[in-house]
Amino acid sequence: MDWKYFDFVPDRTGTDCEKWDARESVFHKADVIPLWVADMDLPCAEEIVQAMTDRARHPIYGYTEENPRDKLAEVDWLYRRFHLHVEPEWILFSPSVVDSMLFCLRALTQPEDLIVIQTPVYGPFRETVLRTGRKLAENPLLETPQGWKMDLQGLEQIFRAGAKMLFLCSPHNPVGRVWTREELSALNDLTERYGVTVVSDEIHASFTFDGRKNFPFLRLSQRAIMLTSATKAFNLAGLRHSSMLVPDARLREKLLCETHSVNADRPNLFGALAQRTAYDKGDAWLDACVGYIQHNRDIAEKFFSERVPRIQFHPLEGTYLMWLDLRGIPLSHEALFRRLVEVGNVGLNDGLFFGEAGRKHFRLNLAIQTEILLRGLEGIERAINTL
């Protein structure tokens, strides 16, 4: 598939798009270049658009049954892309990965149970734990000259204190690590020793670079739960459809009861259709999309290294989100945020959304047309190099 397909710039303003239409409320500046929310400004696969259009022509959108092909398409996709064998009955549908995290907490833990996250990490990991009345244990990732690592010793101390569940982010948002099989095996050894349930958010699994492949945690443990969705890979987040993969029958029954109790166990008509079409027909589009984003990553890394060296980063292995370290710049976090907006005219994700470990860090979204990315990079250069 030709990369020129992704150079088309669709106007998303006025479409109730958070990334573009919320700029005034978030940045207090309505014309910033939006390089924040983790969705893509790249046109969706034509096969998905066609399937949605064809179904929309039918004038009735009533109660929807689960199509048996939905799970079979996902089974085929997971084996084809990740060499992960899944039985159809393992798959439970859910509105979103964040909802799935909530269901896992409610169904499989009790109030006051200790739940572990590895910071800096996607904000809802923390928020969901606290919202359910569980106790939060943060085990920060270790930053080394070779990149980010899991602190296994720190994890063991928390597990020994009685932790019940670990939320794993794989690949990790926002630092962009693609965990190796060896790293995940060491983690699995610990969780098995202490009886900790792993809930692995692998929604970014399709975005890996330089020959890397995401290694599904379920290939190591069938007591774990994998959260996944086509919404990230194919930019369908507004359709709210995702999956929980639960091999363990006892855990699966508890989760099924939980989703049923809140009426979250019925499919979304268009979300299910879009995901099924993506898994059946989306390989060529996704391969081209990942190539386009890797090209953008290379541009951004070269740009910062050569033109804004005071901004530090580790090479991005996965996700389309670049984690920028501005700790070497003598301004407060808040002042840096405002300067990026007011001088650079760029809207980045505030690093504090990912926890205190994100202070003086900002997350940049690379899933945008290259020409717009370059304008954003030049804005960041202007904001930093004129200090």
Side-chain angles (χ1 to χ4, degrees), residues 108-170:
L108 308 179
T109 68
Q110 299 296 320
E112 301 297 313
D113 277 353
L114 193 60
I115 314 297
V116 189
I117 65 174
Q118 301 185 94
T119 54
V121 73
Y122 181 51
F125 278 48
R126 170 184 297 97
E127 296 161 7
T128 307
V129 172
L130 297 177
R131 191 186 314 149
T132 57
R134 275 61 176 171
K135 291 183 178 178
L136 182 69
E138 296 189 21
N139 188 63
L141 297 174
L142 300 174
E143 188 174 11
T144 75
Q146 293 74 42
W148 296 89
K149 309 286 185 184
M150 293 190 214
D151 181 0
L152 296 178
Q153 290 184 336
L155 281 176
E156 184 165 17
Q157 290 179 357
I158 297 171
F159 292 170
R160 193 180 293 127
K164 300 298 183 185
M165 182 175 286
L166 167 71
F167 281 140
L168 175 67
C169 196
S170 181

Side-chain angles (χ1 to χ4, degrees), residues 231 235-240 268:
T231 57
N235 208 35
L236 309 171
L239 297 174
R240 290 184 55 76
N268 175 297

Side-chain angles (χ1 to χ4, degrees), residues 147-275:
W148 296 89
K149 309 286 185 184
M150 293 190 214
D151 181 0
L152 296 178
Q153 290 184 336
L155 281 176
E156 184 165 17
Q157 290 179 357
I158 297 171
F159 292 170
R160 193 180 293 127
K164 300 298 183 185
M165 182 175 286
L166 167 71
F167 281 140
L168 175 67
C169 196
S170 181
H172 194 95
N173 171 19
V175 305
R177 272 301 317 277
V178 176
W179 306 117
T180 65
R181 179 174 187 158
E182 292 70 27
E183 288 172 306
L184 294 173
S185 294
L187 174 63
N188 183 55
D189 290 345
L190 280 179
T191 58
E192 287 191 347
R193 187 182 313 159
Y194 291 96
V196 176
T197 301
V198 175
V199 177
S200 184
D201 171 7
E202 303 191 25
I203 196 170
H204 289 274
S206 293
F207 298 100
T208 57
F209 309 119
D210 306 316
R212 296 180 182 85
K213 292 291 184 182
N214 186 68
F215 187 86
F217 196 80
L218 281 191
R219 288 178 63 184
L220 298 171
S221 171
Q222 298 209 335
R223 288 191 64 257
I225 296 163
M226 177 176 166
L227 309 183
T228 186
S229 175
T231 57
K232 194 64 63 180
F234 292 91
N235 208 35
L236 309 171
L239 297 174
R240 290 184 55 76
H241 188 71
S242 75
S243 305
M244 298 181 282
L245 310 183
V246 195
D248 186 281
R250 183 181 60 86
L251 300 181
R252 189 165 64 246
E253 182 60 29
K254 288 183 176 182
L255 280 164
L256 197 56
C257 290
E258 176 62 31
T259 57
H260 182 72
S261 73
V262 294
N263 298 313
D265 57 343
R266 296 186 70 91
N268 175 297
L269 169 63
F270 287 101
L273 172 61
Q275 178 159 296

Side-chain angles (χ1 to χ4, degrees), residues 47 64 204 228 235 272 331 349:
E47 294 85 352
T64 302
H204 289 274
T228 186
N235 208 35
L331 289 178
N349 274 111

Side-chain angles (χ1 to χ4, degrees), residues 12 28 37 69 75 104 107 119 155-156 173 207-208 220 226 229 232 285 298 322 324 328 332 369 379 384:
R12 299 183 69 185
H28 307 294
V37 176
R69 182 58 200 160
V75 168
C104 288
T119 54
L155 281 176
E156 184 165 17
N173 171 19
F207 298 100
T208 57
L220 298 171
M226 177 176 166
S229 175
K232 194 64 63 180
W285 180 93
D298 294 344
M322 193 171 180
L324 304 179
S332 70
Q369 286 72 27
I384 300 305

